[in-house]
Amino acid sequence: MTIEQMEEYLEVVMCNYNAHPTSAHYGKSPLQFLREESEFALRRIDASVSASWRNLLKIELSVPVRARDGHPPHIHYLKVEYTNDLLRAADMLVGKDIVITVDLTDLRTVEAQAFGGIPLGTLFARGPWATFVHDERLRKRLNREIEDGNFHWEEGKDPEQIVNQLLRRAKHSAAAEPDRPKSPPPKRTEAKPSRAPRLIADVAKSMDFDIEAILGAKLKG
């Protein structure tokens, strides 16, 4: 089936669905329901910061507070250091776990609290990670590129611009890469017909026996 045929097929399916009465629309078709009861059919999404659907994109997890090599207390999440003024002064939390709330669509900051519900405020990512909006998927991809030696932060340059350049190069190289020729299937080697087993009697017929040599003097006697 070609793409054009698939589009025509989907168009017919959608038209039939929109014109067919369903129990979900109280015996009316979707088009009829939209036309007659539009105030109930159309709902505006809550775009506020406190909208409940935003919680679906957040996770909570516990992480240890660290302080080593002369660094003040901080945490690590996906290989990036986070801290704030309150956590830097909380030496008593070093070695203990705190709870962080991560917005998977924006990893520049995380919300933190100590066990018992004591708020620690917003922790900020250190370095270039705090300067541009990035989600969990992009963070993991950049970490892989850094480990493979394909990406590094350049001092004095806008981090977001550097990331966009990397993504454009990856997109262009993927588009320019020719399709790999498919290797031909391995040739079938026809098995040679095995030699039919020969009966012992047949083998005996084809062999010359020297009875005298075998039995020796017993025949002479």
Side-chain angles (χ1 to χ4, degrees):
M1 180 180 291
T2 64
I3 296 178
E4 291 77 11
Q5 291 173 334
M6 177 64 73
E7 290 177 346
E8 292 178 1
Y9 174 77
L10 291 176
E11 185 177 356
V12 172
V13 171
M14 294 176 65
C15 289
N16 289 338
Y17 173 79
N18 288 329
H20 188 272
T22 64
S23 58
H25 298 100
Y26 309 102
K28 300 178 181 180
S29 68
L31 292 177
Q32 183 182 4
F33 190 79
L34 285 173
R35 185 169 54 251
E36 297 178 0
E37 304 184 40
S38 58
E39 66 275 12
F40 300 104
L42 300 178
R43 296 181 180 179
R44 295 187 178 275
I45 297 178
D46 184 4
S48 64
V49 177
S50 59
S52 59
W53 61 267
R54 295 184 184 275
N55 293 328
L56 299 175
L57 305 175
K58 296 181 179 180
I59 59 172
E60 280 190 356
L61 62 157
S62 61
V63 294
V65 177
R66 306 178 182 182
R68 57 185 180 184
D69 300 331
H71 290 275
H74 60 274
I75 65 160
H76 275 89
Y77 177 68
L78 291 181
K79 301 182 179 181
V80 175
E81 182 179 317
Y82 290 81
T83 191
N84 63 4
D85 292 339
L86 183 58
L87 184 60
R88 278 193 289 265
D91 293 329
M92 73 291 296
L93 292 177
V94 175
K96 299 180 180 179
D97 287 352
I98 63 173
V99 178
I100 61 173
T101 303
V102 182
D103 182 351
L104 298 178
T105 64
D106 187 357
L107 299 186
R108 293 176 298 173
T109 62
V110 299
E111 299 297 323
Q113 61 179 352
F115 280 98
I118 303 174
L120 298 174
T122 302
L123 307 185
F124 298 89
R126 297 287 302 274
W129 299 102
T131 62
F132 67 100
V133 178
H134 60 284
D135 59 9
E136 182 186 34
R137 183 173 56 178
L138 181 57
R139 168 78 65 83
K140 290 181 177 180
R141 177 175 179 178
L142 293 178
N143 282 337
R144 288 195 302 268
E145 296 289 347
I146 292 173
E147 291 176 357
D148 295 339
N150 300 325
F151 177 77
H152 64 277
W153 302 109
E154 299 181 31
E155 188 175 356
K157 289 190 176 182
D158 181 13
E160 185 173 8
Q161 183 179 359
I162 299 174
V163 172
N164 289 334
Q165 290 174 353
L166 171 70
L167 298 178
R168 283 195 296 268
R169 287 197 303 268
K171 183 178 180 180
H172 291 160
S173 61
E177 184 177 355
D179 295 335
R180 295 182 179 179
K182 296 182 179 180
S183 56
K187 295 182 179 180
R188 290 186 176 182
T189 55
E190 296 183 359
K192 295 182 179 180
S194 58
R195 183 179 297 176
R198 301 174 65 189
L199 298 176
I200 296 178
D202 296 333
V203 176
K205 291 179 182 178
S206 62
M207 297 179 64
D208 296 329
F209 288 95
D210 189 348
I211 300 299
E212 185 175 355
I214 295 174
L215 299 179
K218 291 184 179 181
L219 291 177
K220 295 180 180 180

